[in-house]
Amino acid sequence: MHAGSEIPHTPAVPLVGAADALTPRVRGWLGRRTYAGADWDAARIRPLKGDLRVSVVLPARNEAATIGGIVAAIADTLTGGPHPVVDEILVVDSHSDDATAAVARAAGAVVAHQDAIRPDLPPSLGKGDALWKSLFAVTGDIVVFLDADVRDFTPGYVTGLLGPLLADTGLAYVKGFYDRPADPAGAAGRAGGGRVTELVARPLLNLLAPDLAGFVQPLAGEAAGRADVLRRVPFAAGYGVEIGLLLDLYALVGLDRLAQVDLGVRHHRHQDLADLGAMAAQVQAAALRRVAGRRPGRADAAHEQVRPLVQYERAAGEQRRVRVRDIRVADRPPHDRVPPAPDPAPPAPDHVPRDPDPAPPAATDAAPAPRPVPGPGGAGTGRGPGPAPVRSGA
Ligand SMILES: O=c1ccn([C@@H]2O[C@H](COP(=O)(O)OP(=O)(O)O)[C@@H](O)[C@H]2O)c(=O)[nH]1
Ligand SMILES: O=C(O)[C@@H](COP(=O)(O)O)O[C@H]1O[C@H](CO)[C@@H](O)[C@H](O)[C@H]1O
């Protein structure tokens, strides 16, 4: 394995004119811990993988249009052939009501419904829950999280995320970054996507955790981490999961065990502004919970602190209406504080969740049992259980 400074890097983001706006710590991190996805292909990382197992996890709610192509690209190029680097592909079906599960299975993934994994735990909704549950079901020493709504996915997303982690055992977690054109045909360099990142997450991190200001895409759904480290942090149940993981992993392992890798360009489905408003509320809640000194994982405290979000909408020619979004999301406790399943969970369709022997509950206080996430788990993604009932305008 190499020390971090010896493995290939992309030239850090040119800081022309901005250098002194970043702390020396962040400037140093940008230089040391920013990698180029293009530097890593299966041939190069296969020898680095050794006996480590790699699991790819895709949380998917109503992604039938894209999940098949993504899974097939991974299954066809990275699980077999001369340089196999992926040992399993798990799609967590997050309350889809389209053909996501069937399409994913046909393309070569194992599919487990979110509530079929550890059914002894309260039912849950939301992207963060899907990721949290996946860690009960996968066997990988390294887990790669990928969004399932990406339109131009390439296996390079996976090898790019794996490369730095496999080349440097000092790294614990790597996030992807990319150009995010708003329009589907947008070429590299076009911006417009990542509205919650630019309007909420980046300003919030700048204010509350400036050490993380070097992350180009702090909310990127494409990330990879060592499973044993991921099992030591809580997971925010909804869309707060990415910023929650970033803040908790930074607190747990420190900045220099985190990294980012340039994956090029990413086109994905864009939600409407109202849905992003609910997402933004969850991102803020997860960040403030962590930074405001509440101990992560105290779902009860977090749960009671967030009021539903009231939005206002009016269709042409109609009366203005109130739209109430239940954005309260709990933190799911770290895996190493979740008691083992009371008895072997009934096998989920085509997959029997793996339940690692978690460490005994921490001596301090047993993490509160995960609580169901009320309302739209995915901040009203429009692709699953919708937001709280709309009440007509006053
Ligand atoms: O309750 C949810 C909401 C989203 N997702 C998945 O999480 C990923 C990112 O969600 P989305 O595309 O809604 O977020 P965006 O990319 O628009 O920010 C996608 O694979 C979704 O299918 C999920 O599994 N459960
Ligand atoms: O980056 C963002 O602003 C949001 C929304 O992106 P768009 O404005 O729809 O391109 O998307 C990210 O944030 C979500 C919440 O953390 C993640 O779940 C998504 O994976 C990520 O794409």
Side-chain angles (χ1 to χ4, degrees), residues 235-380:
F235 277 56
Y239 279 119
V241 62
E242 278 89 9
I243 201 164
L245 282 175
L246 194 54
L247 287 164
D248 289 337
L249 289 167
Y250 164 60
L252 180 71
V253 301
L255 182 62
D256 219 50
R257 293 197 65 198
L258 310 178
Q260 61 182 354
V261 64
D262 187 350
L263 300 178
V265 186
R266 176 177 181 259
H267 294 96
H268 69 115
R269 180 204 43 251
H270 299 285
Q271 299 185 52
D272 67 27
L273 206 52
D275 284 346
L276 289 190
M279 176 191 287
Q282 292 191 348
V283 168
Q284 288 177 87
L288 293 176
R289 243 191 333 261
R290 283 152 177 79
V291 178
R294 288 194 190 88
R295 288 176 40 221
R298 292 295 309 264
D300 49 347
H303 197 70
E304 280 129 29
Q305 301 297 323
V306 180
R307 285 181 297 282
L309 177 71
V310 177
Q311 295 174 323
Y312 302 89
E313 59 189 22
R314 177 148 70 152
E318 289 188 14
Q319 193 188 11
R320 179 171 286 103
R321 301 186 332 155
V322 167
R323 186 175 181 187
V324 179
R325 310 292 288 262
D326 186 347
I327 50 145
R328 290 171 299 165
V329 283
D331 281 336
R332 301 305 178 216
H335 273 243
D336 59 14
R337 293 212 232 147
V338 177
D343 51 28
D350 72 23
H351 183 73
V352 176
R354 170 184 179 273
D355 189 350
D357 303 321
T364 50
D365 61 333
R371 295 166 63 130
V373 176

Side-chain angles (χ1 to χ4, degrees), residues 23 28 30 32 93-94 109 125 156 159 161 181 201 204-205 220-221 234 271 331 393:
T23 62
L30 259 171
R32 262 190 332 276
D93 180 4
S94 183
L125 281 173
T159 53
L161 289 164
L204 208 53
L205 291 175
Q271 299 185 52
D331 281 336

